[in-house]
Amino acid sequence: MLRDLTRGERTVSELAEPFAISLAAASKHIKVLENAGLIRREVRGRTHLCRLDPGPLASAHQWLSFYEQFWSGRLDLLEQLLHEEKAGKSPNPTKGDDK
């Protein structure tokens, strides 16, 4: 539904159409998205028009990007250490330990 809203306003019926769900079920999904602040709904007569509110998605993307960079760096370091260990270049961390 969110992807469909990137192309502009949609009615509840238009949002429900690609899915095998009732209009009532689609309305529940839309209400969840609305409560999460991801979409805005405007009532025009009997028609409910929904539009994407990209603000919260941008904030989530920024937050996720930080952790993506953090974990990518950590995984790159782990990969490097594993390659060094495999090549026999890594010092033995337990060397000198009499356990």
Side-chain angles (χ1 to χ4, degrees):
M1 290 183 175
L2 289 176
R3 184 179 304 139
D4 200 19
L5 288 170
T6 62
R7 292 176 277 182
E9 285 184 343
R10 298 287 187 266
T11 64
V12 172
S13 298
E14 290 170 333
L15 290 172
E17 187 178 323
F19 305 100
I21 58 174
S22 67
L23 284 178
S27 289
K28 287 181 181 180
H29 284 282
I30 290 167
K31 189 68 173 169
V32 169
L33 295 172
E34 192 175 17
N35 288 339
L38 298 173
I39 67 169
R40 292 186 183 169
R41 186 187 333 207
E42 179 183 337
V43 180
R44 293 184 195 157
R46 294 182 56 172
T47 304
H48 289 231
L49 287 169
C50 301
R51 78 174 62 88
L52 185 66
D53 185 356
L57 290 174
S59 296
H61 182 266
Q62 182 181 16
W63 185 83
L64 289 169
S65 291
F66 170 80
Y67 287 100
E68 178 184 25
Q69 290 174 354
F70 173 80
W71 285 111
S72 291
R74 292 300 201 197
L75 291 171
D76 288 346
L77 180 59
L78 176 61
E79 181 180 33
Q80 178 186 346
L81 291 171
L82 290 172
H83 284 301
E84 288 175 3
E85 183 177 296
K86 186 177 181 180
K89 296 178 184 176
S90 179
N92 188 348
T94 59
K95 189 174 185 176
D97 193 359
D98 293 334
K99 289 184 182 177

